[in-house]
Amino acid sequence: MDEREKLRKFRELDDAFAEALKELENPDSRLDIPTGPPVRSLEAQEPPDDAATQQAFERRLKTLMQDYAQPAESVSRLLETLRSLGHIA
């Protein structure tokens, strides 16, 4: 391949690349480019069951109680107050 042919191919490639960049920047582009989050399995999309949610909440609550040195009675009183005020179910 001679130098002219190489230069022509390079220009074609450069033009195609520039056009692709313009298409990406255009919000009305007809290109079907996935830009959202990755596809997840159906199991990952389903909400966790109540038992798993409850266990995760309890683990997190116990960790916070230890981190902030709060006794169970104090936390229980706080949760009851929040529940009575309608801030939690």
Side-chain angles (χ1 to χ4, degrees):
M1 185 182 304
D2 69 344
E3 293 300 314
R4 286 185 189 186
E5 185 66 20
K6 287 180 185 177
L7 186 57
R8 185 185 65 76
K9 293 256 186 208
F10 177 77
R11 285 185 182 153
E12 287 176 6
L13 183 61
D14 186 51
D15 290 345
F17 185 70
E19 187 64 32
L21 285 176
K22 286 179 189 175
E23 287 292 321
L24 286 174
E25 292 173 356
N26 182 2
D28 298 327
S29 175
R30 293 186 322 268
L31 294 176
D32 186 20
I33 301 170
T35 57
V39 176
R40 297 174 291 160
S41 67
L42 286 176
E43 292 82 23
Q45 293 178 14
E46 293 176 359
D49 62 41
D50 290 339
T53 302
Q54 180 69 24
Q55 289 172 352
F57 174 77
E58 289 174 4
R59 282 193 304 272
R60 181 70 179 134
L61 184 59
K62 287 178 183 177
T63 301
L64 288 170
M65 287 168 56
Q66 289 175 351
D67 290 350
Y68 291 97
Q70 294 296 314
E73 297 80 27
S74 191
V75 173
S76 178
R77 224 176 310 124
L78 173 63
L79 290 173
E80 286 301 322
T81 302
L82 290 171
R83 185 176 292 135
S84 69
L85 294 172
H87 292 288
I88 59 174

